[in-house]
Amino acid sequence: MDAELFPRERTEVAPGAVHVPDWLDAERQRELLAACRAWALPPAGLRTVRTPGGGTMTARQVCLGWHWYPYAYARTVVDGDGAPVKPFPEWLDELGRRAVRDALDAPGAAAYDIALINFYDADARMGMHRDSDEKSEAPVVSLSLGDTCVFRFGNTETRARPYTDVELRSGDLFVFGGPSRLAYHGVPKVQPGSAPPELGLTGRLNITLRVSGL
Ligand SMILES: O=C(O)CCC(=O)C(=O)O
Protein backbone atom coordinates (compact mmCIF):
# COMPACT_ATOMS: atom_id res chain seq x y z
CA MET A 1 0.00 0.00 0.00
CA ASP A 2 1.19 3.53 -0.78
CA ALA A 3 2.92 5.32 2.03
CA GLU A 4 0.66 8.33 2.47
CA LEU A 5 1.21 11.36 4.58
CA PHE A 6 -2.20 10.93 6.17
CA PRO A 7 -3.55 7.38 6.48
CA ARG A 8 -7.01 6.95 5.01
CA GLU A 9 -9.57 6.70 7.77
CA ARG A 10 -12.91 5.01 8.33
CA THR A 11 -15.54 7.46 7.08
CA GLU A 12 -19.31 7.55 7.52
CA VAL A 13 -20.33 8.81 4.09
CA ALA A 14 -24.05 8.93 4.96
CA PRO A 15 -26.03 7.59 7.95
CA GLY A 16 -25.43 3.81 7.91
CA ALA A 17 -22.97 3.98 4.98
CA VAL A 18 -19.35 3.46 6.00
CA HIS A 19 -16.07 3.21 4.08
CA VAL A 20 -13.31 1.20 5.78
CA PRO A 21 -10.01 1.53 3.86
CA ASP A 22 -7.60 -1.44 3.71
CA TRP A 23 -9.99 -3.83 5.46
CA LEU A 24 -8.58 -6.87 3.63
CA ASP A 25 -4.85 -7.49 4.00
CA ALA A 26 -2.76 -8.56 0.99
CA GLU A 27 -3.08 -12.29 1.74
CA ARG A 28 -6.88 -12.13 2.14
CA GLN A 29 -7.09 -10.19 -1.14
CA ARG A 30 -5.10 -12.92 -2.91
CA GLU A 31 -7.36 -15.64 -1.45
CA LEU A 32 -10.51 -13.78 -2.48
CA LEU A 33 -9.13 -13.21 -5.98
CA ALA A 34 -8.38 -16.94 -6.33
CA ALA A 35 -11.96 -17.72 -5.26
CA CYS A 36 -13.36 -15.18 -7.76
CA ARG A 37 -11.33 -16.78 -10.56
CA ALA A 38 -12.84 -20.20 -9.73
CA TRP A 39 -16.39 -18.76 -9.50
CA ALA A 40 -15.96 -17.03 -12.88
CA LEU A 41 -15.45 -20.35 -14.68
CA PRO A 42 -18.39 -22.02 -16.45
CA PRO A 43 -20.91 -23.44 -15.84
CA ALA A 44 -22.81 -20.48 -14.30
CA GLY A 45 -19.66 -18.39 -14.76
CA LEU A 46 -18.90 -14.77 -15.63
CA ARG A 47 -21.47 -13.39 -18.06
CA THR A 48 -22.56 -10.21 -19.79
CA VAL A 49 -25.80 -8.93 -18.28
CA ARG A 50 -28.47 -7.76 -20.71
CA THR A 51 -31.11 -5.29 -19.57
CA PRO A 52 -34.79 -5.50 -20.61
CA GLY A 53 -34.38 -2.32 -22.71
CA GLY A 54 -31.85 -4.10 -24.97
CA GLY A 55 -28.70 -2.65 -23.39
CA THR A 56 -25.77 -4.49 -21.85
CA MET A 57 -23.97 -3.79 -18.61
CA THR A 58 -20.28 -3.09 -19.16
CA ALA A 59 -19.26 -4.77 -15.88
CA ARG A 60 -19.49 -8.54 -16.32
CA GLN A 61 -20.97 -10.55 -13.47
CA VAL A 62 -21.14 -13.92 -11.74
CA CYS A 63 -23.44 -14.72 -8.81
CA LEU A 64 -23.37 -17.11 -5.85
CA GLY A 65 -26.33 -18.40 -3.84
CA TRP A 66 -29.02 -16.64 -5.85
CA HIS A 67 -28.66 -15.59 -9.48
CA TRP A 68 -29.52 -11.93 -10.05
CA TYR A 69 -30.83 -10.85 -13.42
CA PRO A 70 -32.62 -7.57 -14.23
CA TYR A 71 -34.65 -7.32 -11.98
CA ALA A 72 -35.21 -10.51 -9.95
CA TYR A 73 -33.48 -13.55 -8.46
CA ALA A 74 -33.48 -17.19 -9.60
CA ARG A 75 -31.72 -20.42 -8.64
CA THR A 76 -30.44 -21.00 -12.18
CA VAL A 77 -28.77 -18.73 -14.74
CA VAL A 78 -32.06 -18.00 -16.50
CA ASP A 79 -30.49 -15.35 -18.73
CA GLY A 80 -27.35 -17.39 -19.52
CA ASP A 81 -26.36 -21.04 -19.73
CA GLY A 82 -29.27 -22.21 -17.54
CA ALA A 83 -26.95 -23.92 -15.04
CA PRO A 84 -27.66 -23.92 -11.28
CA VAL A 85 -26.08 -20.93 -9.55
CA LYS A 86 -22.92 -21.82 -7.61
CA PRO A 87 -23.40 -22.27 -3.83
CA PHE A 88 -22.75 -19.43 -1.39
CA PRO A 89 -19.95 -20.62 0.93
CA GLU A 90 -20.27 -20.37 4.70
CA TRP A 91 -16.94 -18.56 5.01
CA LEU A 92 -18.31 -15.74 2.85
CA ASP A 93 -21.26 -15.33 5.24
CA GLU A 94 -18.79 -15.12 8.12
CA LEU A 95 -16.80 -12.50 6.20
CA GLY A 96 -19.99 -10.52 5.53
CA ARG A 97 -21.06 -10.53 9.17
CA ARG A 98 -17.58 -9.53 10.31
CA ALA A 99 -17.64 -6.67 7.79
CA VAL A 100 -20.93 -5.38 9.24
CA ARG A 101 -19.59 -5.66 12.80
CA ASP A 102 -16.40 -3.78 11.91
CA ALA A 103 -18.00 -1.09 9.75
CA LEU A 104 -21.23 -0.39 11.60
CA ASP A 105 -20.32 -1.68 15.04
CA ALA A 106 -23.52 -3.75 14.89
CA PRO A 107 -24.10 -7.51 14.85
CA GLY A 108 -24.72 -8.90 11.37
CA ALA A 109 -28.27 -10.17 11.98
CA ALA A 110 -29.33 -12.40 9.11
CA ALA A 111 -27.16 -14.79 7.12
CA TYR A 112 -25.64 -13.51 3.89
CA ASP A 113 -26.74 -15.73 1.01
CA ILE A 114 -26.11 -13.73 -2.19
CA ALA A 115 -22.84 -12.63 -3.76
CA LEU A 116 -22.64 -10.59 -6.94
CA ILE A 117 -19.11 -10.49 -8.29
CA ASN A 118 -18.62 -7.69 -10.82
CA PHE A 119 -15.58 -7.56 -13.09
CA TYR A 120 -14.63 -4.16 -14.51
CA ASP A 121 -12.13 -3.78 -17.33
CA ALA A 122 -10.67 -0.33 -18.03
CA ASP A 123 -13.82 0.90 -19.81
CA ALA A 124 -16.48 -0.64 -17.58
CA ARG A 125 -18.84 1.46 -15.48
CA MET A 126 -21.99 0.95 -13.45
CA GLY A 127 -24.87 3.41 -13.61
CA MET A 128 -26.66 4.77 -10.56
CA HIS A 129 -29.10 2.17 -9.22
CA ARG A 130 -30.60 0.85 -5.97
CA ASP A 131 -30.23 -2.71 -4.64
CA SER A 132 -33.95 -3.25 -4.22
CA ASP A 133 -34.68 -6.81 -5.43
CA GLU A 134 -34.02 -8.33 -1.98
CA LYS A 135 -36.71 -8.84 0.66
CA SER A 136 -34.27 -8.21 3.53
CA GLU A 137 -33.20 -4.85 4.93
CA ALA A 138 -29.81 -6.23 6.04
CA PRO A 139 -26.83 -4.04 5.12
CA VAL A 140 -25.08 -4.55 1.77
CA VAL A 141 -21.37 -5.40 2.06
CA SER A 142 -19.05 -4.38 -0.77
CA LEU A 143 -15.41 -5.49 -1.15
CA SER A 144 -13.01 -4.19 -3.78
CA LEU A 145 -10.02 -5.90 -5.41
CA GLY A 146 -7.63 -4.65 -8.08
CA ASP A 147 -7.95 -1.27 -9.78
CA THR A 148 -9.11 1.77 -7.85
CA CYS A 149 -12.51 3.17 -8.79
CA VAL A 150 -14.70 6.15 -8.09
CA PHE A 151 -17.73 4.85 -6.16
CA ARG A 152 -20.61 7.31 -6.22
CA PHE A 153 -22.89 7.07 -3.19
CA GLY A 154 -26.07 9.09 -3.42
CA ASN A 155 -29.44 9.47 -1.78
CA THR A 156 -32.58 7.33 -1.61
CA GLU A 157 -34.75 9.64 -3.75
CA THR A 158 -32.98 10.30 -7.02
CA ARG A 159 -30.01 9.25 -9.17
CA ALA A 160 -28.87 12.87 -9.15
CA ARG A 161 -27.12 14.98 -6.52
CA PRO A 162 -26.58 15.08 -3.62
CA TYR A 163 -24.00 12.31 -3.80
CA THR A 164 -20.49 11.68 -2.51
CA ASP A 165 -17.65 10.28 -4.62
CA VAL A 166 -15.48 7.84 -2.68
CA GLU A 167 -12.22 6.35 -3.94
CA LEU A 168 -12.35 2.59 -3.43
CA ARG A 169 -9.01 0.81 -3.60
CA SER A 170 -8.01 -2.83 -3.48
CA GLY A 171 -8.85 -4.23 -0.04
CA ASP A 172 -11.39 -1.52 0.86
CA LEU A 173 -14.74 -2.30 2.46
CA PHE A 174 -17.93 -0.30 2.02
CA VAL A 175 -21.10 -1.18 3.95
CA PHE A 176 -24.49 0.48 3.53
CA GLY A 177 -27.53 -0.26 5.64
CA GLY A 178 -30.19 1.40 7.79
CA PRO A 179 -31.37 4.69 6.26
CA SER A 180 -28.86 4.27 3.40
CA ARG A 181 -29.82 0.68 2.47
CA LEU A 182 -31.78 1.82 -0.59
CA ALA A 183 -29.52 4.70 -1.63
CA TYR A 184 -28.63 5.06 -5.29
CA HIS A 185 -25.00 4.21 -6.04
CA GLY A 186 -22.77 3.49 -9.02
CA VAL A 187 -19.25 3.36 -10.42
CA PRO A 188 -18.61 6.19 -12.90
CA LYS A 189 -14.90 5.49 -13.35
CA VAL A 190 -12.19 2.87 -12.94
CA GLN A 191 -8.51 3.90 -12.95
CA PRO A 192 -6.75 1.38 -15.22
CA GLY A 193 -3.37 0.12 -14.01
CA SER A 194 -3.90 1.23 -10.40
CA ALA A 195 -4.16 -2.27 -8.86
CA PRO A 196 -1.39 -3.32 -6.45
CA PRO A 197 1.12 -5.10 -8.75
CA GLU A 198 1.64 -7.98 -6.30
CA LEU A 199 -2.06 -8.93 -6.53
CA GLY A 200 -1.74 -9.92 -10.19
CA LEU A 201 -5.14 -8.61 -11.34
CA THR A 202 -5.69 -6.44 -14.40
CA GLY A 203 -8.98 -4.65 -13.84
CA ARG A 204 -11.28 -4.40 -10.85
CA LEU A 205 -13.39 -6.96 -9.00
CA ASN A 206 -16.20 -6.01 -6.67
CA ILE A 207 -17.78 -8.58 -4.39
CA THR A 208 -21.17 -7.45 -3.14
CA LEU A 209 -22.80 -9.52 -0.38
CA ARG A 210 -26.52 -9.27 0.32
CA VAL A 211 -29.18 -11.05 2.36
CA SER A 212 -32.00 -12.23 0.10
CA GLY A 213 -34.83 -12.66 2.61
CA LEU A 214 -36.23 -15.02 -0.02
O1 LIG B 1 -18.67 -2.26 -8.12
C1 LIG B 1 -19.12 -1.68 -7.15
O2 LIG B 1 -18.40 -1.16 -6.29
C2 LIG B 1 -20.62 -1.51 -7.02
C3 LIG B 1 -21.39 -2.71 -7.43
C4 LIG B 1 -22.86 -2.53 -7.31
O3 LIG B 1 -23.32 -1.43 -7.12
C5 LIG B 1 -23.78 -3.65 -7.41
O4 LIG B 1 -23.36 -4.78 -7.66
O5 LIG B 1 -24.99 -3.42 -7.24
Side-chain angles (χ1 to χ4, degrees):
M1 189 47 61
D2 298 343
E4 295 188 52
L5 184 54
F6 300 108
R8 298 181 306 146
E9 288 182 356
R10 176 191 182 280
T11 307
E12 185 163 31
V13 172
V18 175
H19 174 212
V20 187
D22 305 318
W23 190 68
L24 295 167
D25 65 21
E27 192 184 337
R28 206 73 180 105
Q29 290 179 50
R30 275 196 300 275
E31 288 168 1
L32 205 47
L33 172 58
C36 289
R37 286 192 163 124
W39 294 327
L41 294 172
L46 197 71
R47 81 193 197 292
T48 299
V49 182
R50 289 172 211 292
T51 55
T56 52
M57 285 173 54
T58 50
R60 286 180 291 154
Q61 193 175 83
V62 56
C63 305
L64 306 177
W66 285 92
H67 175 78
W68 180 82
Y69 64 102
Y71 295 95
Y73 282 103
R75 284 297 197 186
T76 56
V77 185
V78 287
D79 59 344
D81 64 8
V85 64
K86 290 185 172 89
F88 185 98
E90 205 176 306
W91 63 264
L92 207 49
D93 171 41
E94 281 157 19
L95 193 70
R97 287 166 186 254
R98 191 156 60 80
V100 171
R101 277 199 304 274
D102 287 0
L104 303 182
D105 206 15
Y112 284 84
D113 60 348
I114 300 170
L116 267 57
I117 296 117
N118 297 300
F119 176 71
Y120 297 78
D121 64 18
D123 301 317
R125 311 267 177 274
M126 193 173 288
M128 295 295 273
H129 66 280
R130 299 196 295 176
D131 297 350
S132 56
D133 296 323
E134 303 76 35
K135 301 272 181 278
S136 164
E137 293 177 355
V140 173
V141 170
S142 159
L143 298 163
S144 292
L145 295 177
D147 281 345
T148 298
C149 79
V150 175
F151 180 66
R152 182 160 291 171
F153 196 78
N155 61 87
T156 54
E157 302 301 318
T158 146
R159 290 181 166 79
R161 290 176 194 275
Y163 52 67
T164 305
D165 283 347
V166 181
E167 190 182 78
L168 292 185
R169 297 188 196 168
S170 196
D172 285 7
L173 164 68
F174 195 97
V175 176
F176 52 101
S180 288
R181 173 61 180 78
L182 290 177
Y184 282 93
H185 58 280
V187 177
K189 188 173 169 45
V190 173
Q191 294 169 18
S194 54
E198 64 279 10
L199 183 62
L201 173 64
T202 302
R204 171 174 187 262
L205 279 167
N206 167 258
I207 299 103
T208 288
L209 308 180
R210 305 177 185 174
V211 177
S212 70
L214 295 170

